[in-house]
Amino acid sequence: YNSAYYELANWFCEQSADYSENVAACGFTMDVSEMGFVTAAVQRRVVAQYLRSREDNGNGWGPQGVPEESVERFRERVLRFVPGSHLFWGLWGVLKAREEKQDDAPQYGDFDYSAYAAYRLQWVL
C-alpha cells in the first residue's frame, strides 16, 4: 500500500514514458524534463478528480466541488514524491539489471534495465 501522494507522483512520471515495442534501442523512452512532464493544468485536473472521488469521506465540499487551494496544496505534496518514484524505479532497474546479467548486451528494442535505472536515478542523484 502506497501513499496517494506517491501513487499520483508515479502516475505523473509514467505519463511521460513510452514502452512501445521497438520505440528505442533500450526498449523505452521517457521525458520527465519540464518539456515532457505532465503539465500543471493536467496535474490539477487529476488531483481535483482524485479529491472529488473522496468526497464521501465527509470533507464537506458539497456540490461546489473541491476548492482550488485544496487542489494546489495536495498537488504540491504530490510533487514532493516525484524523486521518490524515480528512486524506487531506479533501484528496481539496478536490481533487475543484476538479475538479468547476460554476457551479451541487450539487442535493439530489448528492455535495458541498466539504461532505465540510470535514466530514473539521474533525476534524484
Side-chain angles (χ1 to χ4, degrees), residues 3-6 9 70-82:
S3 153
Y5 302 124
Y6 173 82
S70 296
V71 170
E72 190 58 27
R73 191 169 41 254
F74 196 93
R75 185 182 80 87
E76 288 170 1
R77 290 178 185 154
V78 167
L79 293 176
R80 292 181 199 149
F81 281 79
V82 167

Side-chain angles (χ1 to χ4, degrees), residues 44-66:
R44 285 184 190 95
R45 283 195 304 271
V46 168
V47 166
Q49 181 61 40
Y50 172 78
L51 292 174
R52 270 194 302 279
S53 75
R54 297 179 51 142
E55 281 188 11
D56 294 335
N57 293 336
N59 56 33
W61 288 327
Q64 72 275 11
V66 182

Side-chain angles (χ1 to χ4, degrees), residues 19-97:
Y19 301 108
S20 302
E21 188 173 342
N22 293 320
V23 70
C26 61
F28 71 94
T29 61
M30 179 178 269
D31 183 5
V32 292
S33 68
E34 193 172 311
M35 295 301 293
F37 197 68
V38 177
T39 66
V42 170
Q43 293 170 22
R44 285 184 190 95
R45 283 195 304 271
V46 168
V47 166
Q49 181 61 40
Y50 172 78
L51 292 174
R52 270 194 302 279
S53 75
R54 297 179 51 142
E55 281 188 11
D56 294 335
N57 293 336
N59 56 33
W61 288 327
Q64 72 275 11
V66 182
E68 186 58 37
E69 56 273 6
S70 296
V71 170
E72 190 58 27
R73 191 169 41 254
F74 196 93
R75 185 182 80 87
E76 288 170 1
R77 290 178 185 154
V78 167
L79 293 176
R80 292 181 199 149
F81 281 79
V82 167
S85 173
H86 288 307
L87 180 62
F88 177 87
W89 289 107
L91 293 176
W92 174 84
V94 167
L95 294 174
K96 288 297 287 182

Side-chain angles (χ1 to χ4, degrees), residues 106-120:
Q107 300 298 310
Y108 183 91
D110 287 348
F111 195 86
D112 185 339
Y113 293 104
S114 294
Y116 183 78
Y119 185 81
R120 293 299 292 255

